[in-house]
Amino acid sequence: QVQLVESGGGLVQAGGSLTLSCTVSGRTGSPYVMAWFRQPPAKDRDFVAAISRSAARTYYADSVKGRVTISRDNRANTVSLQMNRLKADDTAVYYCAAGEFYDRNAEEYTYWGQGTQVTVSS
């Protein structure tokens, strides 16, 4: 079993920055593909970014490309999402997810955190 715990959410003004962190515990011997998704109010959960097991490859949604950076530290079992130039449209609950393969479909990820709220005021 794997547990994911997100942190770092909060209220930020438009144009500001925020870094989210996800701590992975449990069965961490073999790193998973890690991803971040977000769910705005009354909307579906959407892909934000993903990173391969070795961190050699990263993937981003078009809506955040150039503003967001995903990274991981496999020794510390953490995954981070650095977000810059935040917009009101970035307001959502952000979820960390772990899976066996990279995919932009949330259903392909096995483990999920509880989510952390990001609110961007305009």
Side-chain angles (χ1 to χ4, degrees), residues 13-95:
Q13 288 188 334
S17 299
L18 207 59
T19 299
L20 306 182
S21 295
C22 175
T23 300
V24 184
S25 61
R27 199 195 90 187
T28 58
S30 299
Y32 291 89
V33 172
M34 300 299 297
W36 287 92
F37 286 77
R38 67 186 182 185
Q39 188 165 16
K43 293 186 178 180
D44 293 335
R45 192 170 297 189
D46 292 329
F47 171 79
V48 176
I51 188 166
S52 64
R53 299 170 192 271
S54 66
R57 292 183 295 275
T58 56
Y59 311 89
Y60 297 96
D62 289 343
S63 59
V64 303
K65 198 172 294 184
R67 300 189 296 120
V68 166
T69 302
I70 188 171
S71 60
R72 68 188 299 164
D73 183 339
N74 285 340
R75 283 188 290 184
N77 295 321
T78 59
V79 180
S80 296
L81 188 72
Q82 169 72 42
M83 302 187 292
N84 301 313
R85 302 195 306 278
L86 284 162
K87 309 173 183 178
D89 286 348
D90 295 318
T91 294
V93 177
Y94 283 71
Y95 295 91

